[in-house]
PDB file of all heavy atoms in Angstrom:
ATOM      1  N   PRO A 324     -17.415   8.810  15.630  1.00  0.00           N
ATOM      2  CA  PRO A 324     -17.223   7.373  15.943  1.00  0.00           C
ATOM      3  C   PRO A 324     -17.154   7.135  17.454  1.00  0.00           C
ATOM      4  O   PRO A 324     -16.801   8.010  18.248  1.00  0.00           O
ATOM      5  CB  PRO A 324     -15.826   7.046  15.324  1.00  0.00           C
ATOM      6  CG  PRO A 324     -15.641   8.087  14.249  1.00  0.00           C
ATOM      7  CD  PRO A 324     -16.332   9.311  14.744  1.00  0.00           C
ATOM      8  N   GLU A 325     -17.529   5.918  17.885  1.00  0.00           N
ATOM      9  CA  GLU A 325     -17.617   5.619  19.286  1.00  0.00           C
ATOM     10  C   GLU A 325     -16.250   5.702  19.981  1.00  0.00           C
ATOM     11  O   GLU A 325     -16.186   6.091  21.124  1.00  0.00           O
ATOM     12  CB  GLU A 325     -18.192   4.218  19.459  1.00  0.00           C
ATOM     13  CG  GLU A 325     -19.645   4.122  19.050  1.00  0.00           C
ATOM     14  CD  GLU A 325     -20.599   4.954  19.850  1.00  0.00           C
ATOM     15  OE1 GLU A 325     -20.324   5.182  21.049  1.00  0.00           O
ATOM     16  OE2 GLU A 325     -21.576   5.419  19.307  1.00  0.00           O
ATOM     17  N   SER A 326     -15.174   5.360  19.256  1.00  0.00           N
ATOM     18  CA  SER A 326     -13.845   5.464  19.864  1.00  0.00           C
ATOM     19  C   SER A 326     -13.476   6.845  20.216  1.00  0.00           C
ATOM     20  O   SER A 326     -12.723   7.106  21.175  1.00  0.00           O
ATOM     21  CB  SER A 326     -12.841   4.844  18.921  1.00  0.00           C
ATOM     22  OG  SER A 326     -12.870   5.482  17.683  1.00  0.00           O
ATOM     23  N   ILE A 327     -13.961   7.845  19.423  1.00  0.00           N
ATOM     24  CA  ILE A 327     -13.608   9.228  19.684  1.00  0.00           C
ATOM     25  C   ILE A 327     -14.523   9.804  20.841  1.00  0.00           C
ATOM     26  O   ILE A 327     -14.074  10.608  21.632  1.00  0.00           O
ATOM     27  CB  ILE A 327     -13.772  10.087  18.402  1.00  0.00           C
ATOM     28  CG1 ILE A 327     -12.721   9.686  17.410  1.00  0.00           C
ATOM     29  CG2 ILE A 327     -13.677  11.578  18.726  1.00  0.00           C
ATOM     30  CD1 ILE A 327     -12.758  10.406  16.085  1.00  0.00           C
ATOM     31  N   LYS A 328     -15.765   9.306  20.847  1.00  0.00           N
ATOM     32  CA  LYS A 328     -16.700   9.814  21.918  1.00  0.00           C
ATOM     33  C   LYS A 328     -16.390   9.281  23.285  1.00  0.00           C
ATOM     34  O   LYS A 328     -16.974   9.725  24.255  1.00  0.00           O
ATOM     35  CB  LYS A 328     -18.127   9.404  21.549  1.00  0.00           C
ATOM     36  CG  LYS A 328     -18.685  10.240  20.357  1.00  0.00           C
ATOM     37  CD  LYS A 328     -20.184  10.091  20.206  1.00  0.00           C
ATOM     38  CE  LYS A 328     -20.581   8.744  19.742  1.00  0.00           C
ATOM     39  NZ  LYS A 328     -22.042   8.637  19.491  1.00  0.00           N
ATOM     40  N   GLU A 329     -15.429   8.337  23.402  1.00  0.00           N
ATOM     41  CA  GLU A 329     -15.010   7.882  24.726  1.00  0.00           C
ATOM     42  C   GLU A 329     -14.335   8.992  25.493  1.00  0.00           C
ATOM     43  O   GLU A 329     -14.394   9.007  26.751  1.00  0.00           O
ATOM     44  CB  GLU A 329     -14.086   6.710  24.586  1.00  0.00           C
ATOM     45  CG  GLU A 329     -14.766   5.426  24.036  1.00  0.00           C
ATOM     46  CD  GLU A 329     -13.806   4.286  23.876  1.00  0.00           C
ATOM     47  OE1 GLU A 329     -12.568   4.531  24.100  1.00  0.00           O
ATOM     48  OE2 GLU A 329     -14.188   3.183  23.500  1.00  0.00           O
ATOM     49  N   ASN A 330     -13.701   9.912  24.828  1.00  0.00           N
ATOM     50  CA  ASN A 330     -12.986  11.032  25.462  1.00  0.00           C
ATOM     51  C   ASN A 330     -13.919  12.256  25.398  1.00  0.00           C
ATOM     52  O   ASN A 330     -14.606  12.501  24.408  1.00  0.00           O
ATOM     53  CB  ASN A 330     -11.690  11.374  24.799  1.00  0.00           C
ATOM     54  CG  ASN A 330     -10.717  10.191  24.882  1.00  0.00           C
ATOM     55  OD1 ASN A 330     -10.680   9.484  25.901  1.00  0.00           O
ATOM     56  ND2 ASN A 330      -9.983   9.967  23.802  1.00  0.00           N
ATOM     57  N   THR A 331     -13.884  13.082  26.439  1.00  0.00           N
ATOM     58  CA  THR A 331     -14.755  14.277  26.479  1.00  0.00           C
ATOM     59  C   THR A 331     -14.288  15.296  25.460  1.00  0.00           C
ATOM     60  O   THR A 331     -15.075  15.975  24.804  1.00  0.00           O
ATOM     61  CB  THR A 331     -14.730  14.865  27.869  1.00  0.00           C
ATOM     62  OG1 THR A 331     -15.083  13.868  28.827  1.00  0.00           O
ATOM     63  CG2 THR A 331     -15.708  16.061  27.987  1.00  0.00           C
ATOM     64  N   LEU A 332     -12.960  15.455  25.294  1.00  0.00           N
ATOM     65  CA  LEU A 332     -12.420  16.478  24.420  1.00  0.00           C
ATOM     66  C   LEU A 332     -11.837  15.846  23.141  1.00  0.00           C
ATOM     67  O   LEU A 332     -11.112  14.870  23.204  1.00  0.00           O
ATOM     68  CB  LEU A 332     -11.326  17.213  25.194  1.00  0.00           C
ATOM     69  CG  LEU A 332     -10.899  18.628  24.652  1.00  0.00           C
ATOM     70  CD1 LEU A 332     -12.067  19.543  24.740  1.00  0.00           C
ATOM     71  CD2 LEU A 332      -9.722  19.128  25.386  1.00  0.00           C
ATOM     72  N   LEU A 333     -12.199  16.442  22.025  1.00  0.00           N
ATOM     73  CA  LEU A 333     -11.675  16.013  20.739  1.00  0.00           C
ATOM     74  C   LEU A 333     -10.671  17.062  20.311  1.00  0.00           C
ATOM     75  O   LEU A 333     -11.004  18.273  20.173  1.00  0.00           O
ATOM     76  CB  LEU A 333     -12.793  15.874  19.718  1.00  0.00           C
ATOM     77  CG  LEU A 333     -12.384  15.697  18.239  1.00  0.00           C
ATOM     78  CD1 LEU A 333     -11.568  14.459  18.055  1.00  0.00           C
ATOM     79  CD2 LEU A 333     -13.591  15.733  17.331  1.00  0.00           C
ATOM     80  N   ILE A 334      -9.435  16.668  20.080  1.00  0.00           N
ATOM     81  CA  ILE A 334      -8.380  17.594  19.692  1.00  0.00           C
ATOM     82  C   ILE A 334      -7.919  17.243  18.238  1.00  0.00           C
ATOM     83  O   ILE A 334      -7.580  16.089  17.977  1.00  0.00           O
ATOM     84  CB  ILE A 334      -7.155  17.470  20.596  1.00  0.00           C
ATOM     85  CG1 ILE A 334      -7.594  17.765  22.073  1.00  0.00           C
ATOM     86  CG2 ILE A 334      -6.060  18.493  20.236  1.00  0.00           C
ATOM     87  CD1 ILE A 334      -6.473  17.574  23.118  1.00  0.00           C
ATOM     88  N   LEU A 335      -7.990  18.218  17.371  1.00  0.00           N
ATOM     89  CA  LEU A 335      -7.564  18.089  15.974  1.00  0.00           C
ATOM     90  C   LEU A 335      -6.324  18.931  15.743  1.00  0.00           C
ATOM     91  O   LEU A 335      -6.244  20.119  16.248  1.00  0.00           O
ATOM     92  CB  LEU A 335      -8.659  18.472  14.973  1.00  0.00           C
ATOM     93  CG  LEU A 335      -9.984  17.800  15.121  1.00  0.00           C
ATOM     94  CD1 LEU A 335     -10.968  18.228  14.063  1.00  0.00           C
ATOM     95  CD2 LEU A 335      -9.847  16.271  15.039  1.00  0.00           C
ATOM     96  N   ARG A 336      -5.352  18.424  15.016  1.00  0.00           N
ATOM     97  CA  ARG A 336      -4.150  19.159  14.700  1.00  0.00           C
ATOM     98  C   ARG A 336      -4.134  19.510  13.225  1.00  0.00           C
ATOM     99  O   ARG A 336      -4.364  18.629  12.361  1.00  0.00           O
ATOM    100  CB  ARG A 336      -2.893  18.292  15.037  1.00  0.00           C
ATOM    101  CG  ARG A 336      -1.583  18.842  14.583  1.00  0.00           C
ATOM    102  CD  ARG A 336      -1.175  20.070  15.410  1.00  0.00           C
ATOM    103  NE  ARG A 336      -1.089  19.770  16.795  1.00  0.00           N
ATOM    104  CZ  ARG A 336      -0.060  19.183  17.424  1.00  0.00           C
ATOM    105  NH1 ARG A 336       0.990  18.822  16.733  1.00  0.00           N
ATOM    106  NH2 ARG A 336      -0.060  18.947  18.704  1.00  0.00           N
ATOM    107  N   ILE A 337      -3.844  20.806  12.923  1.00  0.00           N
ATOM    108  CA  ILE A 337      -3.748  21.239  11.518  1.00  0.00           C
ATOM    109  C   ILE A 337      -2.363  20.826  11.015  1.00  0.00           C
ATOM    110  O   ILE A 337      -1.352  21.246  11.492  1.00  0.00           O
ATOM    111  CB  ILE A 337      -3.991  22.754  11.401  1.00  0.00           C
ATOM    112  CG1 ILE A 337      -5.384  23.138  11.897  1.00  0.00           C
ATOM    113  CG2 ILE A 337      -3.745  23.242   9.975  1.00  0.00           C
ATOM    114  CD1 ILE A 337      -5.669  24.621  11.876  1.00  0.00           C
ATOM    115  N   THR A 338      -2.362  20.030   9.953  1.00  0.00           N
ATOM    116  CA  THR A 338      -1.093  19.509   9.391  1.00  0.00           C
ATOM    117  C   THR A 338      -0.695  20.250   8.111  1.00  0.00           C
ATOM    118  O   THR A 338       0.483  20.311   7.758  1.00  0.00           O
ATOM    119  CB  THR A 338      -1.254  18.032   9.043  1.00  0.00           C
ATOM    120  OG1 THR A 338      -2.358  17.828   8.120  1.00  0.00           O
ATOM    121  CG2 THR A 338      -1.503  17.241  10.324  1.00  0.00           C
TER     122      THR A 338
END
Side-chain angles (χ1 to χ4, degrees):
E325 294 296 329
S326 57
I327 293 179
K328 288 194 291 184
E329 291 177 357
N330 300 321
T331 307
L332 199 65
L333 169 62
I334 304 176
L335 304 181
R336 172 71 57 83
I337 297 177
T338 59

